[in-house]
Amino acid sequence: QLQLVESGGGLVQPGGSLRLSCAASGFSLEYDAIGWFRQAPGKEREWVSCISSTGGGTDYADSVKGRFTISRDNAKNTAYLQMNSLKPEDTATYYCAATPAYRLCVLSEGMEYWGKGTLVNVSA
């Protein structure tokens, strides 16, 4: 069964850090770009970050640039999102997704596989 599984979410205070993981099973992520998206309660899903299949290319939404870092370990078939200096407005369910086309990575419609999400709650 092809699936992506996110982990690492939880409750954290403002200014804190979390590292999310996105592990693939049933297929190799080696040739796919990986994207992270998030959806806050009552809001539409928004793109957060993308990384190319080799890890040589990365992109970030302006809202997280300088605070979040995307990475991947193809040997472990896993991608990561390191989130620092977290703010209450970062509270959302975070999803990872995969696509063979890096140029489509910023678009929900461009992603082929999705995880079920992990909840990040930034609150004092």
Side-chain angles (χ1 to χ4, degrees), residues 3-56:
Q3 61 178 351
L4 295 172
V5 180
E6 303 92 338
S7 61
L11 175 64
V12 62
Q13 292 187 341
S17 298
L18 284 174
R19 189 176 82 154
L20 305 184
S21 297
C22 171
S25 62
F27 71 108
S28 172
L29 289 177
E30 184 179 5
Y31 300 108
D32 286 334
I34 303 298
W36 286 96
F37 296 76
R38 67 186 181 185
Q39 187 167 18
K43 295 187 177 181
E44 297 205 348
R45 184 165 53 194
E46 65 172 344
W47 169 71
V48 174
S49 182
C50 284
I51 187 167
S52 64
S53 59
T54 63

Side-chain angles (χ1 to χ4, degrees), residues 16-101:
S17 298
L18 284 174
R19 189 176 82 154
L20 305 184
S21 297
C22 171
S25 62
F27 71 108
S28 172
L29 289 177
E30 184 179 5
Y31 300 108
D32 286 334
I34 303 298
W36 286 96
F37 296 76
R38 67 186 181 185
Q39 187 167 18
K43 295 187 177 181
E44 297 205 348
R45 184 165 53 194
E46 65 172 344
W47 169 71
V48 174
S49 182
C50 284
I51 187 167
S52 64
S53 59
T54 63
T58 58
D59 286 296
Y60 299 92
D62 287 343
S63 59
V64 305
K65 200 171 293 183
R67 299 188 297 122
F68 290 11
T69 302
I70 192 170
S71 62
R72 64 190 299 158
D73 184 340
N74 285 344
K76 295 183 178 179
N77 219 22
T78 302
Y80 307 95
L81 186 67
Q82 177 67 42
M83 306 186 297
N84 298 330
S85 302
L86 283 162
K87 305 174 182 180
E89 51 264 45
D90 294 317
T91 294
T93 298
Y94 284 72
Y95 301 88
C96 69
T99 177

